[in-house]
Amino acid sequence: IFSLILSIPAVLLAITVHEFGHAFAAYKLGDDTPVRQGRLSLNPFDHVDPLGLAMLLFAHIGWGKPVEINPNNFDRKISARAGEAIVAAAGPIMNILLAFVIAIIFYALQVFATGFAIGTQTGMIIMTMLQYAVIVNVGLGVFNLIPLPPLDGSKVLMGFLPYNAKRWFEEHEKVFYIIFLVIWITPIASLIISPAIDAITSGIDSLVSGLFSLFM
């Protein structure tokens, strides 16, 4: 129960930043739909879906309220398909970037506020929350890059597929939804994404710890 409580801020932050990433990318590409719907925000209540939050906390697979976009509003310098791929990728990318920033904060506290970080109960709780935040953000980012609908990875993939392959993908979308559901409710999802999560988390840790080793 204590671990669950400590993970709540990490989950809220991960979902918020993920959906904000989608909204921000769409806005920068010329679509004001997210702005009009109040989604260009870092307020968790603007992005959290109660069921998705509960699933992420208890099943470690969840979601936020989808950000609606209108590709017809995108800047004409970029195709609608490319714009949709960029918007879709923005969410997971924001999660990975946030994980990197949080890892920097974690090591900064460890190096420059050692007594507080490991010598006080409050400090240890904060350090644990930061560790959860890194793992949750990497996990949410990697999971959403699986190239199956309704995940972001499918929209990113569609941006690179040739016309005939894209059309085939769209015609068999229901089949891919079924595959996604099978992966979601079985241990397959964990088997697929756990190695990637471990690799990215280890990479971030090695990079940041190597940087701060210069100060230790």
Side-chain angles (χ1 to χ4, degrees):
I1 294 177
F2 186 63
S3 296
L4 180 63
I5 293 173
L6 291 183
S7 68
I8 290 176
V11 171
L12 288 174
L13 183 61
I15 291 175
T16 300
V17 169
H18 183 95
E19 300 302 336
F20 173 81
H22 291 316
F24 181 76
Y27 174 70
K28 297 301 289 185
L29 289 174
D31 181 20
D32 65 347
T33 305
V35 177
R36 288 187 286 104
Q37 295 184 347
R39 302 304 302 279
L40 193 65
S41 164
L42 288 173
N43 182 347
F45 295 105
D46 292 331
H47 302 291
V48 170
D49 178 285
L51 179 58
L53 174 62
M55 290 298 295
L56 192 54
L57 285 171
F58 295 102
H60 307 297
I61 297 176
W63 57 87
K65 290 189 293 187
V67 172
E68 295 182 14
I69 64 171
N70 184 353
N72 294 323
N73 293 334
F74 289 159
D75 190 322
R76 296 304 177 184
K77 295 179 181 179
I78 189 171
S79 69
R81 186 169 69 167
E84 287 184 276
I86 292 172
V87 172
I93 289 173
M94 284 292 287
N95 284 126
I96 302 301
L97 290 176
L98 180 59
F100 184 77
V101 171
I102 293 171
I104 291 176
I105 296 173
F106 177 88
Y107 276 99
L109 288 175
Q110 197 172 59
V111 172
F112 300 114
T114 308
F116 170 76
I118 64 175
T120 67
Q121 186 175 17
T122 301
M124 288 188 288
I125 290 174
I126 290 175
M127 297 297 276
T128 301
M129 292 172 67
L130 291 174
Q131 288 178 311
Y132 280 143
V134 171
I135 295 170
V136 170
N137 272 281
V138 172
L140 187 63
V142 170
F143 176 72
N144 272 280
L145 285 176
I146 295 176
L148 291 172
L151 301 176
D152 297 325
S154 66
K155 299 182 181 68
V156 175
L157 177 63
M158 295 280 271
F160 293 95
L161 290 177
Y163 176 78
N164 289 336
K166 181 176 180 289
R167 184 175 178 182
W168 180 87
F169 194 92
E170 290 173 338
E171 290 174 348
H172 295 82
E173 194 170 48
K174 291 183 179 179
V175 175
F176 289 116
Y177 267 102
I178 293 173
I179 295 173
F180 165 72
L181 288 174
V182 171
I183 290 175
W184 185 29
I185 63 178
T186 65
I188 296 176
S190 179
L191 293 175
I192 292 174
I193 68 175
S194 288
I197 292 173
D198 292 341
I200 294 174
T201 303
S202 297
I204 291 174
D205 184 74
S206 297
L207 183 61
V208 177
S209 63
L211 176 65
F212 275 92
S213 66
L214 300 175
F215 301 97
M216 298 176 68

